[in-house]
């Protein structure tokens, strides 16, 4: 236990009372050890996700059709690095060694969604990532923004939300434009076929498999995994349908239903989906990480090692 951890000495009951009175948690002085552990975990997932999106988007940005399009991609990448910085700074305030966390962790110890471990290899895949992955990030962060009991993060997310809206719009504008051309549309559809299902996985285990107890009770998030997956489909499916692209999901009058095997085996080299598998099998794939994990993390850590 570090010196800082000893400052989070409220009891669980005191934290519950504080929250019940409608107050936000502003720092270690308001936290129990359990709250501190939970908020560190969710902040790490968020900051890692923002950070790894930078090398993932940079790889794809090289396929930009023109220099000004490359510029737009670079400004998105800059935003993502700033979002990561917000998360790591807050973790620093909560007693985490930021340098160790960012620069000295093993690639396999990073906590971002598996989707970012699969390379984005074209401009089609970059703009789809903006339309799908940034939409997933937006759904998750909007929930945190609305529900979070940790004041410093809640306030910082007002700015992050606005920038994510720009990333999303960038993705949608391009998807719409490319979908209007028959050849471009074919290539978009081929990428969408693997990227859509991969983003469904982003939201994690289904509610019947996962207990959120403390995450929901302490307001680290407001909605369950399945609710968030529904929110994401409610944004993505109508848009893709509108521009004439096919996604394996429909609305049955009550909720969004997935029309393909899910969860599913994934051939990460061919970027192709296979048979239905169990969530236990999915967790094995997630744990092993995907093709780009080591490359991206090494890229992010390289300057620090050589300094
Ligand atoms: Fe971001
Ligand atoms: Fe983004």
């Amino acid at each position: 236990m570090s010196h800082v951890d000893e400052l989070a000495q409220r009891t669980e009951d005191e934290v519950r009372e504080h929250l019940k009175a409608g107050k936000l948690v502003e720092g270690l002085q308001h936290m129990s050890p359990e709250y501190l552990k939970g908020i560190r975990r969710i902040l790490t997932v968020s900051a890692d996700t923002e950070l790894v999106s930078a090398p993932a988007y940079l790889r794809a940005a090289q396929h930009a059709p023109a220099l000004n399009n490359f510029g737009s991609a670079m400004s998105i990448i800059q935003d993502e690095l700033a979002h990561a910085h917000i998360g790591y700074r807050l973790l620093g305030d909560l007693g985490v060694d930021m340098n160790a966390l960012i620069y000295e962790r093993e690639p396999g110890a990073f906590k971002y969604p598996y989707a970012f471990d699969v390379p984005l290899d074209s401009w089609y895949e970059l703009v789809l990532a903006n339309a799908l992955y940034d939409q997933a990030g937006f759904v998750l962060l909007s929930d945190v923004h609305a529900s979070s009991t940790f004041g410093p993060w809640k306030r910082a997310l007002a700015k992050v939300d606005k920038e994510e809206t720009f990333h999303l719009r960038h993705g949608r504008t391009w998807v719409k434009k490319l979908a209007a051309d028959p050849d471009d549309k074919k290539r978009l559809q081929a990428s969408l076929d693997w990227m859509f299902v991969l983003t469904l996985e982003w939201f994690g285990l289904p509610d019947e498999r996962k207990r959120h107890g403390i995450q929901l009770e302490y307001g680290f998030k407001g909605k369950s995994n399945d609710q968030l997956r529904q929110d994401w489909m409610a944004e993505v499916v109508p848009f893709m349908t509108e521009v004439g692209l096919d996604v394996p999901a429909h609305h049955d009058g009550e909720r969004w239903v997935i029309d393909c095997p899910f969860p599913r085996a994934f051939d990460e080299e061919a970027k192709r989906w296979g048979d239905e598998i169990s969530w236990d099998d999915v967790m094995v794939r997630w744990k092993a990480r995907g093709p780009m994990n080591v490359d991206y993390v090494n890229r992010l850590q390289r300057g620090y090692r050589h300094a």
Side-chain angles (χ1 to χ4, degrees):
M1 198 187 261
S2 78
H3 170 67
V4 169
D5 290 26
E6 289 161 20
L7 296 172
Q9 281 309 324
R10 288 223 169 163
T11 65
E12 306 308 323
D13 281 345
E14 283 169 338
V15 175
R16 282 191 193 102
E17 281 303 311
H18 184 85
L19 296 175
K20 236 184 7 211
K23 292 183 203 151
L24 293 174
V25 169
E26 293 295 342
L28 289 162
Q29 74 279 13
H30 295 147
M31 294 184 188
S32 60
E34 211 36 43
Y35 188 103
L36 177 59
K37 211 169 105 194
I39 193 71
R40 275 181 182 168
R41 189 185 312 122
I42 189 168
L43 270 170
T44 304
V45 172
S46 175
D48 285 355
T49 306
E50 302 281 11
L51 185 66
V52 84
S53 70
Y57 289 175
L58 184 62
R59 174 189 171 98
Q62 295 163 23
H63 302 282
L67 193 58
N68 64 326
N69 307 134
F70 183 75
S72 306
M74 287 308 291
S75 91
I76 290 175
I77 291 164
Q78 252 179 339
D79 288 344
E80 304 300 14
L81 290 172
H83 298 169
H85 189 243
I86 289 171
Y88 292 126
R89 273 297 300 270
L90 290 171
L91 282 161
D93 292 345
L94 298 179
V96 176
D97 179 341
M98 275 194 288
N99 277 343
L101 191 67
I102 301 170
Y103 297 113
E104 292 167 17
R105 241 184 322 163
E106 292 295 316
F110 277 72
K111 297 196 188 310
Y112 58 82
Y114 171 84
F116 273 123
D117 277 340
V118 183
L120 300 170
D121 289 316
S122 66
W123 187 252
Y124 302 92
E125 293 183 351
L126 178 68
V127 299
L128 278 171
N130 288 149
L132 301 169
Y133 301 175
D134 284 280
Q135 180 73 67
F138 186 77
V139 163
L140 285 158
L141 289 180
S142 300
D143 180 57
V144 172
H145 183 49
S147 308
S148 180
T149 52
F150 184 43
W153 196 19
K154 195 184 181 80
R155 287 186 290 274
L157 284 177
K159 171 184 146 73
V160 174
D161 258 22
K162 286 201 187 76
E163 286 165 355
E164 291 301 345
T165 307
F166 162 68
H167 305 172
L168 255 175
R169 203 176 315 133
H170 179 258
R172 286 191 171 201
T173 305
W174 268 100
V175 168
K176 197 168 181 176
K177 181 174 154 170
L178 293 168
D181 176 272
D183 286 336
D184 288 331
K185 188 178 173 182
K186 259 186 228 148
R187 298 193 56 183
L188 263 184
Q189 183 67 56
S191 295
L192 182 59
D193 287 344
W194 68 265
M195 294 175 75
F196 181 85
V197 182
L198 208 54
T199 328
L200 285 174
E201 279 186 6
W202 193 297
F203 300 92
L205 296 178
D207 296 350
E208 79 240 21
R209 288 284 310 256
K210 177 126 186 173
R211 295 261 158 269
H212 291 281
I214 204 128
Q215 285 207 37
L216 290 170
E217 187 189 348
Y218 277 165
F220 299 142
K221 56 193 281 189
K223 296 179 180 175
S224 72
N225 290 1
D226 282 335
Q227 286 170 324
L228 293 163
R229 198 168 359 245
Q230 286 284 316
D231 286 0
W232 179 80
M233 284 191 274
E235 295 293 335
V236 167
V237 179
F239 170 74
M240 293 300 172
T241 309
E242 186 194 310
V243 300
L245 294 165
D246 293 323
V247 285
H250 75 279
H251 200 265
D252 73 354
E254 253 176 53
R255 54 191 292 276
W256 293 94
V257 182
I258 299 167
D259 297 324
C260 64
F262 183 74
R264 212 168 169 182
F266 185 59
D267 178 338
E268 51 193 21
E269 296 306 325
K271 297 178 174 176
R272 206 179 297 121
W273 292 100
D275 297 335
E276 185 157 350
I277 54 173
S278 71
W279 281 104
D280 289 329
D281 297 333
V282 177
M283 282 192 287
V284 171
R285 165 156 53 80
W286 287 349
K287 256 215 161 77
R289 301 267 31 156
M292 298 310 292
N293 169 245
V294 170
D295 180 278
Y296 288 160
V297 172
N298 280 346
R299 212 169 279 264
L300 289 162
Q301 294 178 338
R302 193 181 299 149
Y304 175 80
R305 288 218 197 98
H306 291 173

